[in-house]
């Protein structure tokens, strides 16, 4: 809204008969009206284009048929329920998330240990993040999911395909999350560490009680952002054979020749993502309040 | 707040409108096949029969170059084109896209697609050109190697490929105790079989025998089960060309050409004992 700057001197504007006397309240109302009207117009135009497109009936039937939406959600004797399969996504996500948080923190901390004696450890951490951020997840899934069982080495080769999927997700996402942690750790000013050490805290204690608490608080929003990505990438585990929501949708689609099952799977993913997104917003807002309160004190 | 209410209303209205349209078009196009004049067949591209299949196309269904496919399906399509007095042109159509809404950029798709009532609501099929059976592939020495009936497979770790009627067959006829694993491609299923993630791979009989003979050493096909299903060529719903193709296909069947092609390309893949239920 640019009206705020024009003021009473802007004569050519015909729709501002009220003088400057009404103040910002009138302008505010006008802004609401204009934004409301433009929103309505915009979405009406989109809806009209979609509804009047020659193929809209066909698209509606193929993607949004209520019958297929409901039937794919529920499943049939020959096709798995998309909702039931989605529980596998939630399961994979829940387990991977915890493991990633731990492994990534270890990698980030190792990467930050100073001193020449720790060079090989730092090198391993650097190579790890470079490799697993660079290799596409689907390749890691194939290598772990079909390669490790192929080796035939006792326990490790006889895990379930879901377990291999979780291992691959943890390997790849830990590399990303380790970098997020590292950014957080490096954002804490060096003087914090120096002060902690001068108080007699050991290097580990300084890290544990001074640096990490500040670092992790700062990186919670980007961490959650990565986890929203993780939620969706659980769908890729299906390449190893397990039936999660996206695969169940594909099975339904191929057998009924209808894409509504994909819409159902998409809605389920969105449904679980929104709470996490709002939770992230909440954390950011809380953190902001706290820091501002601290500034005043 | 008001904005949001209006918005939601609009979206709901547009969905409703779209929904109505869907019901209409679905009703009008299911009215049976239109007649087709073989002298002037309605083609996608004038003077050419444009035929689609997936890529990669596997033997023995397809052999050779995409410019001039051989193999069973390749030659069936060529025979249809020959009898319609048209040159054939091959294009690529992924299976998942074959049932997408909208106009198709080919005359028909031939890609081992089974005719089912559910699919018939969405696309049109030619008459069947192959009776499909399911086959079950295991590694040599597998405890399932001497299985004689489907009921012995209930406690086996089964795998199937997504989008196949074999998966349907596993879920509704074998009904294994452990949910079957589902793979994107024959290759993935093969890796899973070789690495012991699954004990048996269920797919169409011809593919199992092909895998046994050409791709996977030390494997065997323990048996086939008649699928009671046929492969058909897939057409856009309401395409009148189906009539012409069916007429030609009828000739090809009556004169024994279809059986000759089947004997030439597929017979060696069909000689497998039948499993009891």
């Amino acid at each position: 809204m640019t009206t705020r700057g024009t003021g009473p001197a802007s004569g050519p504007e015909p729709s501002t008969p009220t003088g400057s006397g009404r103040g910002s309240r009138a302008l505010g109302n006008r802004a609401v009206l204009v934004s409301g009207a433009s929103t309505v117009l915009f979405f009406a135009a989109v809806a009209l284009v979609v509804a009047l497109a020659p193929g809209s009936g066909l698209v509606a039937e193929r993607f949004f048929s209520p019958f297929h939406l409901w039937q794919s959600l529920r499943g049939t004797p020959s096709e798995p329920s998309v909702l039931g399969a989605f529980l596998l996504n939630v399961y994979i996500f829940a387990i991977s998330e915890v493991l990633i948080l731990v492994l990534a923190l270890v990698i980030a901390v190792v990467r930050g240990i100073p001193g020449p004696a720790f060079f090989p450890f730092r090198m391993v951490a650097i190579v790890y993040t470079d490799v697993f951020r660079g290799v596409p997840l689907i390749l890691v899934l194939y290598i772990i999911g079909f390669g490790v069982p192929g080796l035939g080495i006792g326990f490790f080769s006889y895990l379930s395909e879901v377990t291999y999927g979780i291992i691959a997700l943890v390997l790849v996402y830990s590399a990303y999350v380790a970098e997020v942690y590292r950014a957080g750790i490096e954002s804490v000013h060096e003087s914090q560490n120096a002060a902690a050490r001068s108080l007699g805290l050991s290097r580990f204690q300084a890290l544990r009680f001074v640096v990490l608490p500040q670092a992790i608080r700062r990186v919670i929003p980007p961490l959650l952002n990565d986890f929203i990505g993780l939620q969706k990438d659980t769908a890729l585990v299906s390449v190893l054979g397990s039936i999660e929501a996206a695969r169940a949708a594909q099975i339904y689609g191929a057998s009924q020749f209808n894409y509504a099952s994909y819409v159902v799977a998409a809605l389920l993913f969105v449904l679980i993502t929104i709470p996490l997104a709002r939770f992230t917003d909440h954390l950011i807002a809380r953190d902001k309040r706290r820091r501002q309160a601290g500034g005043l004190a | 707040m008001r904005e949001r209410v209006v918005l939601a209303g609009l979206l709901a209205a547009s969905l409703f409108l779209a929904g109505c349209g869907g019901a209409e078009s679905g009703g009008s196009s299911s009215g049976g096949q239109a007649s087709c004049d073989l002298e002037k067949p309605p083609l996608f591209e004038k003077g050419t029969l444009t035929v689609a299949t997936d890529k990669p196309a596997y033997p023995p269904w397809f052999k050779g170059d995409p410019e001039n496919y051989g193999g069973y399906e390749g030659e069936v399509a060529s025979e249809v084109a020959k009898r319609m007095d048209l040159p054939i042109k091959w294009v690529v159509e992924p299976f998942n896209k074959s049932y997408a809404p909208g106009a198709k950029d080919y005359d028909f798709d031939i890609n081992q697609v089974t005719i089912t009532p559910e699919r018939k609501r969405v696309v049109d099929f030619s008459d069947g050109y192959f009776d499909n059976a399911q086959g079950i592939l295991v590694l040599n020495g597998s405890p399932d190697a001497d299985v004689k009936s489907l009921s012995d497979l209930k406690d086996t770790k089964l795998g199937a490929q997504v989008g196949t009627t074999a998966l349907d067959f596993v879920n509704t006829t074998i009904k294994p105790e452990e949910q079957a694993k589902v793979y994107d491609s024959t290759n993935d299923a093969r890796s899973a079989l070789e690495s012991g993630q699954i004990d048996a791979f269920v797919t169409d009989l011809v593919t199992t025998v092909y895998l046994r003979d050409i791709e996977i050493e030390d494997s065997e096909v323990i048996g086939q089960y008649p699928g009671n299903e046929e492969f058909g060529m897939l057409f856009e719903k309401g395409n009148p060309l189906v009539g012409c193709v069916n007429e030609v296909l009828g000739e090809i069947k009556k004169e024994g050409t279809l059986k000759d092609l089947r004997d030439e390309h597929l017979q060696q893949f069909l000689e497998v004992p039948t499993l009891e239920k």
Side-chain angles (χ1 to χ4, degrees), chain B residues 188-201:
Chain B
D188 288 356
R190 172 196 174 176
S191 304
L193 184 68
E194 287 177 321
S195 65
Q197 295 284 94
I198 52 173
D199 298 324
F201 174 38

Side-chain angles (χ1 to χ4, degrees), chain A residues 32 35-36 39-40 43-44 47 50-51 55-64 67-68 77-80 142 145-146 149-150 157-161 164 238-243 247 250-251 253-259 262, chain B residues 3 6-7 10-11 14-15 17-19 21-23 25 95-102 113 116 118-119 121-123 125 162-164 167-168 171-172 179-185 188-189 191-192 194-197 234 237:
Chain A
V32 168
S35 75
T39 311
V40 167
F43 283 101
V50 171
S56 77
L58 208 54
V59 170
E61 166 63 21
R62 221 55 70 75
F63 286 87
F64 302 105
F67 169 77
H68 285 295
S78 52
E79 296 124 12
Y142 275 128
F146 291 140
S157 290
Y158 298 98
L159 300 170
S160 77
E161 72 286 341
Y164 290 120
S238 65
V239 299
L240 302 182
S242 39
I243 300 177
R247 175 69 86 207
Q250 194 186 5
I251 292 171
S255 129
Q256 301 279 337
F257 274 18
N258 193 288
Y259 298 95
Y262 288 96
Chain B
E3 284 174 40
V6 172
L7 231 171
L10 269 171
L11 281 176
S14 67
L15 279 177
L17 276 175
S25 73
F95 172 74
N96 280 333
K97 200 181 148 226
S98 63
Y99 53 97
V113 184
T116 70
E118 290 84 12
R119 291 169 171 181
R121 276 190 232 129
V122 178
V123 296
F125 285 105
V162 67
T164 60
L167 178 59
D168 234 41
N171 287 336
T172 53
Q179 189 181 49
K181 307 281 175 264
V182 182
Y183 300 94
D184 280 318
S185 65
D188 288 356
S191 304
E194 287 177 321
S195 65
Q197 295 284 94
L234 183 155
K237 188 88 191 157

